[in-house]
Amino acid sequence: MTPARRRTLALGLGVAAPTLVLALGWLLADLRERSMLAEQREGELVQAAELLRAAARESLEELRRREDARPFEHYGRFYRPPEVLALGEAVALSPLAGEPDDPRISAYFQIDPDGRVRTPYALEPGGSPRAVAVEATVAGPEFAPLRALSFGSGASGRDQSLTYALNDMGNAAYRDLADARRGDALAAERTQKVRLPQTSRNLVTWDTIQSQQAQSASPPQQASAEPVFEAIQQQRPANADGNVPQDMSQRPLPKEHALEDIPQEAGPSLDYSPMAYLRLGDVVVLQRVVSHAGAGSVQGAVLDRGRLAGEWLGALVARHALPEATPTIAATSATGACALARPVHDEVLPDLSFCFPAPPLPPGGSLVLQLGVLLGLGGVVAAAIVAIARAARRSDELSAQKTAFVSAVSHELRTPLTTLRMHAEMLQEGLVAPERLPVFYDDLAHESVRLSRLVENVLAVAQLEEGRRVLQLRPGDLAAQIRDIVDDQARHVERRGFPPVELALPDEPVTVRSDPQAVEQILVNLLDNALKYAADARAAGLRVELAVEGDQAVLRVQDRGPGIPEADRDRVFDRFYRVARERDAHTPGTGLGLALVRELARGHGGDAVAAARPGGGAELQVRFPLASAAARPT
């Protein structure tokens, strides 16, 4: 038994024995731990659900606050901004007349004290297709409780309520201004005299609004509006002491901006209730009541349920959900399969819920399950022993490879160093005849190149392994590079007793993005490999071919040597690997040349493969991606 196998057996027994002894106790502890984890998981789900619900409440509350800050006048088609005084700008188009700036809102509306529905989309009801559509929605049976909130007779007269007449006054001012611009003298006179009131806001509670409505509305109308007041009453949150505040109107509103350098006239004060969400069948509205002089108008925005349930909820979950507790959106009536379900929003989307998936079930405590776990654990231990054995065997193989590599490198270094030292000493002692000096100089240069190439291969592999070698890729003609490299290697090929290398290159340039130094290392190593293993077939010569195949340039180096067995054609590119053949036992080499070739080829975005040459011998291929047309030199 080898030392590696003895170490593997000892390690396996050392791991397996205590593991199997402690397995039963581990199972019992694991069952208790899983029970605790299940409780912890349930608490995490509750926390995640409340986090999402809080995010939904805050987002909808931010929308409510923004709409709450809008002045009464914006719900009419035209109004007089408090900051403009010029005749040409006596009135302005409402900012609500275009598309809503929040995609969650589909349309704005106002219900006058007399029940008439108006919108900022037209001067008069029914004045545009969009206005007609909104008016039809608000006039539907589902909006009856909301329409019942408006109150007051709306009778004409000097003391007519501004909540009834202010929009009409803005529209009349716009008509007079338009007529004055067309040359109507009377309209111009009226325009100069018009003074739209600059109202101020008086925030009141919903209880105050309900009292005002009780004084001005008939009993049937009060009964119809009662569900609205009840729904708003249920929305009032409790204070920290548990008491319910009088009204949501206690929330502060943004202060309206007033320009200090423009005179401001004191005007009448309108009573504003706070905005509140209200479900009317399948429709959700954000609404309030604005009253003055015994008359009240309902103003509000219809929410786009499709966008709320789709884009808004999807973005909310993506932004605020925990990665380990991401819910789906399900109907509240179909949450039976959810581990935990919470409504998205109690007033706006109570019919949709965050549905959290059930956590993995903890294992049971039956004897069958325990035995199954024990058997599984035994299998894991066995697999671990097998893995350790393979790792030990692989470690022995790598150790043997490295030993062979060190031996090969030492041998490869010894030969050129011996030649260099011997020739240098003979030259130093004057033992070389003058006619032999060129031969000695040639031998010194050859062995220096050989030594340099060996050192470059070792350093290149080390740099690639450590990530310090960065290829400098630039467009160039690969065919011209190959021709120059083969010409430089011609003398080396001749010294090895081979005829000149047969070149087969395209007539047209083959443009690739390459590192010239890396391309030289690739081709030199391929030629050196062919010279070593095709020594018995020198007369057949070597062939270097370059061809374009699709979007790749294919470099082929062919010889008539013994070839590479099919089983070894991929492994020859592994580091330190050499084909085990008796005839090649004394062939010099380190097992790094072809490994370097493949790594450099892949650094170019290509690859290197080995194949059999038709007619006998080996063919080594290196593929390079062709450069794009934009990257080719002009």
Side-chain angles (χ1 to χ4, degrees):
M1 182 178 293
T2 63
R5 293 185 180 275
R6 286 197 297 269
R7 291 196 303 271
T8 302
L9 179 60
L11 182 59
L13 292 176
V15 172
T19 301
L20 295 177
V21 169
L22 296 175
L24 183 60
W26 172 81
L27 284 177
L28 295 176
D30 183 66
L31 290 176
R32 291 194 296 269
E33 181 181 1
R34 286 177 182 270
S35 177
M36 295 174 60
L37 288 176
E39 295 178 0
Q40 180 182 354
R41 172 65 174 169
E42 183 178 357
E44 291 174 351
L45 289 183
V46 172
Q47 183 180 3
E50 291 307 316
L51 175 65
L52 285 174
R53 279 171 52 83
R57 287 195 301 269
E58 177 57 29
S59 179
L60 291 173
E61 175 62 14
E62 185 273 334
L63 174 63
R64 190 201 70 81
R65 287 195 298 264
R66 189 170 68 246
E67 294 304 319
D68 217 359
R70 294 191 186 277
F72 174 87
E73 293 85 351
H74 281 186
Y75 283 80
R77 177 69 174 176
F78 292 97
Y79 74 106
R80 177 176 180 260
E83 66 272 14
V84 296
L85 299 176
L87 176 62
E89 298 178 352
V91 292
L93 183 66
S94 169
L96 305 183
E99 291 296 325
D101 55 4
D102 192 310
R104 292 173 291 182
I105 294 177
S106 62
Y108 292 93
F109 65 90
Q110 176 176 315
I111 304 173
D112 287 341
D114 62 352
R116 181 177 59 167
V117 179
R118 73 168 72 241
T119 69
Y121 312 120
L123 285 173
E124 301 294 342
S128 70
R130 185 177 182 186
V132 170
V134 177
E135 292 160 11
T137 299
V138 179
E142 292 181 337
F143 276 73
L146 187 63
R147 293 196 302 272
L149 283 183
S150 64
F151 57 88
S153 64
S156 60
R158 192 167 189 177
D159 296 329
Q160 183 183 22
S161 170
L162 287 178
T163 63
Y164 182 83
L166 190 57
N167 296 134
D168 290 333
M169 294 169 67
N171 292 346
Y174 168 75
R175 291 192 184 95
D176 286 340
L177 180 61
D179 292 341
R181 288 174 175 172
R182 286 193 294 267
D184 188 332
L186 294 178
E189 183 179 355
R190 288 195 302 269
T191 301
Q192 293 175 359
K193 294 180 178 180
V194 68
R195 290 294 182 269
L196 297 182
Q198 299 302 308
T199 64
S200 61
R201 180 186 300 237
N202 178 38
L203 193 60
V204 299
T205 67
W206 277 98
D207 292 337
T208 300
I209 295 296
Q210 189 172 16
S211 299
Q212 292 177 1
Q213 197 223 28
Q215 297 174 8
S216 303
S218 64
Q221 183 179 354
Q222 295 180 44
S224 180
E226 184 64 28
V228 177
F229 291 111
E230 291 179 356
I232 295 173
Q233 177 71 26
Q234 294 174 1
Q235 296 181 30
R236 301 178 184 176
N239 288 328
D241 56 4
N243 298 321
V244 177
Q246 182 183 2
D247 200 274
M248 289 186 298
S249 62
Q250 295 177 2
R251 303 174 184 176
L253 292 177
K255 295 182 178 179
E256 296 183 18
H257 177 67
L259 300 180
E260 297 179 355
D261 57 344
I262 296 178
Q264 299 294 319
E265 298 179 1
S269 176
L270 303 185
D271 291 341
Y272 285 71
S273 73
M275 280 282 187
Y277 286 104
L278 182 66
R279 287 181 61 85
L280 301 170
D282 293 333
V283 183
V284 180
V285 297
L286 186 58
Q287 52 80 36
R288 70 185 176 194
V289 175
V290 181
S291 63
H292 176 260
S297 295
V298 179
Q299 294 181 330
V302 180
L303 301 189
D304 189 329
R305 177 178 169 81
R307 288 184 178 270
L308 282 173
E311 299 175 14
W312 175 70
L313 266 184
L316 187 80
V317 171
R319 187 181 305 113
H320 297 284
L322 301 177
E324 64 276 8
T326 301
T328 57
I329 305 301
T332 303
S333 59
T335 55
C338 305
L340 180 70
R342 291 290 187 273
V344 172
H345 192 275
D346 294 333
E347 290 82 34
V348 178
L349 293 173
D351 55 335
L352 293 181
S353 293
F354 295 115
C355 176
F356 292 86
L361 295 176
S366 65
L367 180 61
V368 175
L369 179 60
Q370 293 178 3
L371 291 176
V373 173
L374 285 173
L375 291 175
L377 185 59
V380 171
V381 171
I385 293 176
V386 172
I388 292 172
R390 290 181 177 178
R393 185 166 60 251
R394 179 60 178 164
S395 176
D396 290 342
E397 292 175 356
L398 291 175
S399 178
Q401 289 180 2
K402 291 182 179 180
T403 300
F405 166 70
V406 171
S407 176
V409 170
S410 301
H411 177 73
E412 288 289 295
L413 290 173
R414 185 182 299 112
T415 301
L417 287 175
T418 300
T419 301
L420 292 172
R421 179 179 178 182
M422 182 181 65
H423 282 35
E425 290 176 350
M426 292 179 68
L427 289 171
Q428 185 180 28
E429 295 175 5
L431 299 178
V432 183
E435 63 273 11
R436 294 284 297 168
L437 285 176
V439 177
F440 269 64
Y441 291 149
D442 187 62
D443 288 343
L444 289 173
H446 172 71
E447 295 301 330
S448 297
V449 171
R450 178 180 172 186
L451 181 61
S452 175
R453 185 176 302 152
L454 173 63
V455 173
E456 286 177 359
N457 281 351
V458 174
L459 291 178
V461 169
Q463 289 174 346
L464 289 172
E465 187 176 48
E466 297 173 2
R468 294 185 290 111
R469 175 73 179 270
V470 179
L471 300 182
Q472 304 295 327
L473 304 182
R474 56 179 182 270
D477 183 5
L478 183 60
Q481 294 182 53
I482 292 174
R483 183 180 291 106
D484 293 341
I485 296 169
V486 171
D487 290 344
D488 290 342
Q489 295 296 310
R491 189 172 182 183
H492 178 57
V493 173
E494 182 183 355
R495 286 178 58 88
R496 299 292 294 269
F498 283 80
V501 175
E502 179 184 354
L503 267 177
L505 302 176
D507 295 332
E508 299 294 330
V510 179
T511 305
V512 299
R513 288 177 53 81
S514 64
D515 184 321
Q517 182 181 1
V519 171
E520 181 178 2
Q521 284 184 291
I522 289 173
L523 185 51
V524 168
N525 275 287
L526 292 178
L527 287 173
D528 188 61
N529 184 79
L531 293 172
K532 286 190 294 187
Y533 292 100
D536 294 340
R538 288 185 175 91
L542 307 179
R543 176 181 172 86
V544 174
E545 175 185 329
L546 180 64
V548 175
E549 297 179 0
D551 60 350
Q552 293 183 325
V554 183
L555 169 65
R556 294 183 174 89
V557 177
Q558 302 171 336
D559 62 57
R560 291 298 182 186
I564 302 174
E566 185 175 356
D568 295 316
R569 287 176 188 166
D570 190 60
R571 297 192 63 192
V572 294
F573 294 99
D574 293 343
R575 296 178 185 178
F576 314 135
Y577 183 80
R578 303 180 67 191
V579 178
R581 283 191 295 233
E582 184 176 354
R583 57 173 290 175
D584 299 327
H586 300 289
T587 301
T590 60
L592 286 178
L594 293 185
L596 179 60
V597 167
R598 171 170 278 184
E599 293 189 20
L600 290 176
R602 289 178 175 175
H604 285 80
D607 205 352
V609 296
R613 182 181 183 183
E619 176 179 292
L620 295 174
Q621 302 178 6
V622 179
R623 297 178 177 269
F624 298 89
L626 293 175
S628 62
R632 297 178 184 178
T634 58

